[in-house]
Amino acid sequence: MKDMYIKGSDSVCGVIGNPIAHTLSPLIHNALAKSLGQRAVYVPFCVTKENLKEAVFGAHALGIKGLNVTMPHKQEMFKYVVEVASEAQKVGAINTLVYTETGYIGHNTDAKGLALSLKEQHVVWNGKKVAIIGSGGAAYAAYTAVADEALEIYIINRTKEKAETLKAHMAQYFDTPTFVYEDCEDLVLDVDIVIQTTGLGMGSLKNQMPKCSKCLLKSAQVAVDLIYEPWETLFLKVAKEQECKCINGFGMLYYQAVIAFELMHHISCEQEKVLQIKHELLKNKEK
Ligand code: NAP
């Protein structure tokens, strides 16, 4: 019972997006706060595009210590922060706001979250050829996650122009050789790791996967899908048949939240506890 009371000295954090009902962020942040003994509560806020500016300035006036930012506000948020962290600049999106007296600092924790989830699964991309399917916000995070160490990056997208835009954006920060292709069934590329970042495989697109999947997965040893609902997408089913090591998007979601939690509360989480909380969340999910 004691845990249910919110004290006047507790920090308040949250997530803003629209829609917001599906978000798992409150579950993760509140579990982290409880297990790590951090006096904090984390709540979801449904905010429309029209209300975004008022919401951010209002949250600051209320002293909200940290906010996660999700669809569709990750790009628009650049207008409402007093400072942008370099990682957010590279990814071209803000997914975390951290309170300062003069306003919020905009961060992005998606790329580091993905990198941590791959490292946890012992994936090494140093000197490897990495294919990224998609060119939306998640692809920018995936590129940033692997670009420092990858040998070459191949961007494949339905709309080739968007892949070209991603390549040009990243050329400002990285000199990794990068090649761009339109998504098609007979795309033969010799790659080690494939990261699927499109929405194909979830919701109404549940039984779909990018056209290039089968062909690309023939050479790959590792297949990553940023989707975690469903747990195993069609892309990962095919990857499993091709004997690839398969990783879904839950690890990325979890670790981007852990990094955001550390930034919002100015703490460093104990690794053992972080792993323990992840296992508990997964155990509860299976029930
Ligand atoms: P986005 O910015 O809207 O980009 C969507 C991408 O999917 C684009 O490359 C788009 O291609 C492609 N696409 C969409 N519908 C398609 C179709 N019918 N056929 C072929 N390609 C299609 O979305 P996002 O923010 O990058 O998110 C993409 C996915 O990543 C979502 O499923 C999201 O849940 C997941 N995600 C996961 C995490 C995590 O923590 N695990 C974090 C962020 C995102 P075009 O350029 O041709 O339109």
Side-chain angles (χ1 to χ4, degrees):
M1 274 306 277
K2 215 168 75 184
D3 286 343
M4 291 176 70
Y5 291 104
I6 297 169
K7 290 185 185 168
S9 55
D10 288 352
S11 334
V12 180
C13 296
V15 53
I16 56 178
N18 185 20
I20 203 67
H22 65 286
T23 182
L24 291 179
S25 294
L27 187 75
I28 300 175
H29 278 257
N30 288 318
L32 287 167
K34 192 172 173 214
S35 302
L36 297 163
Q38 191 73 22
R39 292 290 324 186
V41 284
Y42 184 103
V43 284
F45 298 108
C46 187
V47 175
T48 62
K49 277 186 180 175
E50 297 70 38
N51 289 334
L52 186 62
K53 183 178 177 187
E54 283 77 8
V56 175
F57 291 127
H60 187 261
L62 289 170
I64 290 181
K65 289 288 175 260
L67 284 168
N68 279 124
V69 183
T70 186
M71 295 247 286
H73 305 313
K74 287 185 177 185
Q75 277 84 28
E76 194 70 8
M77 194 52 78
F78 282 93
K79 290 186 194 160
Y80 307 123
V81 293
V82 288
E83 195 183 319
V84 178
S86 64
E87 191 84 350
Q89 210 71 264
K90 285 180 198 163
V91 178
I94 289 172
N95 81 334
T96 303
L97 301 182
V98 176
Y99 182 92
T100 71
E101 272 186 17
T102 51
Y104 287 109
I105 299 179
H107 293 263
N108 190 295
T109 65
D110 281 333
K112 279 202 183 112
L114 174 60
L116 278 181
S117 96
L118 297 183
K119 281 183 183 158
E120 185 188 41
Q121 300 293 325
H122 311 291
V123 175
V124 176
W125 56 93
N126 194 337
K128 303 284 186 190
K129 295 179 186 174
V130 181
I132 296 172
I133 312 176
S135 294
Y140 280 67
Y143 191 108
T144 306
V146 299
D148 265 341
E149 295 181 11
L151 178 68
E152 288 172 354
I153 296 182
Y154 302 81
I155 308 170
I156 302 125
N157 196 40
R158 172 179 65 177
T159 314
K160 199 175 168 198
E161 295 76 46
K162 288 200 189 157
E164 297 281 8
T165 306
L166 165 55
K167 178 182 168 180
H169 173 85
M170 292 301 171
Q172 300 173 85
Y173 307 103
F174 303 99
D175 55 10
T176 319
T178 300
F179 310 92
V180 161
Y181 301 88
E182 189 180 322
D183 185 22
C184 63
E185 271 165 20
D186 52 1
L187 185 64
V188 182
L189 294 172
D190 184 16
V191 295
D192 303 295
I193 301 169
V194 185
I195 309 178
Q196 195 308 102
T197 77
T198 77
L200 291 172
M202 67 181 287
S204 60
L205 308 173
K206 193 170 183 261
N207 297 316
Q208 296 185 39
M209 62 179 180
K211 290 180 191 159
C212 62
S213 305
K214 271 193 184 152
C215 219
L216 274 192
L217 289 167
K218 275 185 189 149
S219 64
Q221 297 98 57
V222 180
V224 185
D225 197 324
L226 300 196
I227 295 171
Y228 50 87
E229 181 60 56
W231 197 250
E232 188 182 65
T233 56
L234 180 59
F235 172 80
L236 285 187
K237 280 195 182 100
V238 170
K240 202 155 93 182
E241 282 163 18
Q242 310 257 22
E243 296 181 357
C244 294
K245 181 181 186 115
C246 294
I247 298 166
N248 75 8
F250 183 78
M252 174 180 178
L253 174 82
Y254 182 69
Y255 283 110
Q256 65 75 27
V258 172
I259 302 162
F261 185 87
E262 292 183 325
L263 287 168
M264 288 174 188
H265 299 293
H266 307 282
I267 58 162
S268 180
C269 298
E270 206 186 303
Q271 274 320 295
E272 214 173 294
K273 276 262 162 85
V274 166
L275 271 178
Q276 192 188 324
I277 298 160
K278 183 168 178 249
H279 287 139
E280 277 163 24
L281 286 169
L282 288 174
K283 217 164 57 191
N284 290 336
K285 187 188 168 295
E286 280 161 16
K287 278 182 190 165

